[in-house]
């Protein structure tokens, strides 16, 4: 049995101000994007990217993550509440970001990026996909440090007590997500993208990998209290992941036949 350390959510105190761990995790994600992207530009030249393109992609992508993540949370998880309190939609410091919303935001942002550079949208997503999981893993570590998005009750010896929640033994589901959505997904995509692939196949692998990992981990994650479990006993996270898996499988077979070339 383990006990959550109950970290101070503020990593660095600067007088009356402070830098939160979650903000640092976003910074790590953006730096990983830049670092890995620069390595790809230098060593995987078949993508044809420049450093200026990478910087622009980070700018477009960051906007997509933040705006899409917030709007996704508002629409997918607490639409009725925010309809009654619209002013709080902008209160991102109170928490509330959705991966699936952020993912859709990035897709839209990369569409504008593709138009700017007159490039194929799927080709851009194939370059970007391997750069994303480290940031996802960092975000999940931020969830763990904050003691939020905890897991369901378990009898497993590796369970963890979250004193800020209750005294029950729970799955440390944030760490499962860190391992699968962050580390394992990164290794899958990084290794697979080590040589030229059919357009769309790397993006398809991302959809299948993330969607599958998230769907499975949701069985150990406590459903949002204001939603609970939905039809068929699935959580909102599972229902949002299913289309990703199905789309990814379809894209995989299309890409393998060079339908997106």
């Amino acid at each position: 049995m383990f006990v959550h350390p109950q970290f101070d959510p503020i990593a660095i105190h600067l007088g009356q101000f402070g830098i939160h761990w979650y903000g640092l995790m976003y910074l790590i994600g953006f730096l990983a994007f830049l670092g890995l992207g620069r390595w790809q530009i230098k060593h995987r030249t078949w993508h044809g990217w420049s450093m200026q393109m990478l910087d622009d992609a980070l700018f477009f992508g960051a906007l997509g993550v933040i705006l899409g993540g917030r709007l996704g949370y508002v629409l997918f998880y607490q639409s009725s509440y925010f309809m009654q309190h619209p002013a709080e939609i902008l209160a991102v410091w109170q928490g509330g970001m959705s991966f699936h919303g952020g993912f859709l935001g990035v897709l839209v942002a990369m569409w504008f990026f593709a138009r700017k550079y007159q490039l194929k949208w799927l080709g851009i997503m194939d370059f970007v996909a391997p750069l994303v999981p480290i940031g996802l893993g960092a975000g999940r570590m931020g969830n763990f440090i904050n003691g939020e998005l905890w897991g369901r009750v378990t009898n497993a010896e590796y369970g963890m007590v979250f004193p800020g929640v209750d005294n029950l033994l729970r799955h440390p589901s944030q760490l499962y997500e860190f391992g699968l959505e962050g580390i394992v997904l990164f290794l899958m995509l990084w290794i697979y993208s080590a040589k030229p692939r059919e357009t769309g196949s790397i993006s398809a692998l991302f959809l299948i990998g993330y969607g599958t990992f998230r769907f499975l981990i949701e069985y150990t994650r406590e459903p949002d209290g204001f939603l609970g479990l939905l039809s068929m006993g699935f959580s909102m996270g599972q229902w949002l992941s299913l289309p990703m898996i199905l789309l990814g499988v379809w894209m995989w077979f299309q890409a393998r036949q060079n339908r997106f070339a």
Side-chain angles (χ1 to χ4, degrees):
M1 182 186 80
F2 301 92
V3 178
H4 185 268
Q6 293 188 285
F7 300 96
D8 184 343
I10 300 177
I12 303 174
H13 291 267
L14 301 170
Q16 296 182 343
F17 302 95
I19 300 176
H20 289 250
W21 281 107
Y22 205 64
L24 286 179
M25 294 303 108
Y26 267 89
L27 178 61
I28 289 173
F30 293 145
L31 291 177
F33 182 94
L34 280 177
L36 294 170
R38 289 178 183 276
W39 193 95
Q40 280 203 145
I41 290 170
K42 183 177 179 180
H43 298 281
R44 300 176 177 179
T45 55
W46 57 84
H47 289 292
W49 276 55
S50 67
M51 296 300 180
Q52 181 60 51
M53 290 173 63
L54 181 67
D55 292 341
D56 286 350
L58 177 61
F59 174 75
F60 278 85
L63 286 178
V65 167
I66 296 171
L67 296 178
R70 184 58 174 177
L71 290 177
Y73 180 79
V74 170
L75 296 174
F76 298 151
Y77 289 91
Q78 295 213 61
S79 57
S80 59
Y81 174 83
F82 285 106
M83 284 181 65
Q84 299 175 29
H85 305 84
E88 294 188 28
I89 292 176
L90 299 178
V92 294
W93 56 87
Q94 296 180 7
M97 297 286 281
S98 161
F99 163 80
H100 295 91
F103 174 70
L104 293 175
V106 169
L107 295 183
V108 173
M110 290 301 101
W111 181 80
F112 284 105
F113 177 84
R115 285 185 57 119
K116 176 179 178 178
Y117 283 96
Q118 297 297 303
L119 295 172
K120 288 185 177 180
W121 178 69
L122 267 181
I124 289 171
M125 297 311 300
D126 284 343
F127 179 90
V128 168
L131 314 182
V132 172
I134 296 299
L136 297 180
R140 294 311 180 190
M141 187 56 68
N143 295 146
F144 178 75
I145 291 173
N146 288 343
E148 61 191 11
L149 305 183
W150 52 84
R152 302 186 193 190
V153 175
T154 179
N155 293 320
E157 294 182 359
Y158 50 81
M160 178 173 288
V161 173
F162 291 83
V165 182
D166 51 35
N167 293 317
L168 300 176
L169 203 60
R170 295 179 175 274
H171 283 286
S173 55
Q174 313 98 321
L175 298 183
Y176 303 164
E177 292 185 279
F178 166 78
L180 290 178
E181 299 170 10
I183 304 304
V184 175
L185 185 59
F186 167 72
L187 292 174
M188 286 172 49
L189 293 170
W190 193 254
I191 292 171
Y192 182 72
S193 61
K195 63 180 182 179
R197 300 288 183 179
E198 299 87 351
T199 302
S201 60
I202 299 173
S203 299
L205 184 60
F206 176 90
L207 291 171
I208 296 169
Y210 180 87
T212 301
F213 292 151
R214 177 66 183 271
F215 186 89
L216 294 175
I217 293 171
E218 284 286 319
Y219 282 116
T220 70
R221 178 172 160 176
E222 185 73 19
D224 295 285
F226 49 84
L227 282 178
L229 294 176
L230 307 178
S231 58
M232 296 179 63
F234 291 165
S235 67
M236 176 61 81
Q238 288 175 311
W239 277 114
L240 293 175
S241 295
L242 278 175
M244 293 183 69
I245 299 172
L246 296 175
L247 178 60
V249 171
W250 176 81
M251 282 180 58
W252 175 266
F253 288 105
Q254 295 296 309
R256 298 297 289 177
Q257 298 177 46
N258 280 316
R259 297 285 177 81
F260 303 126

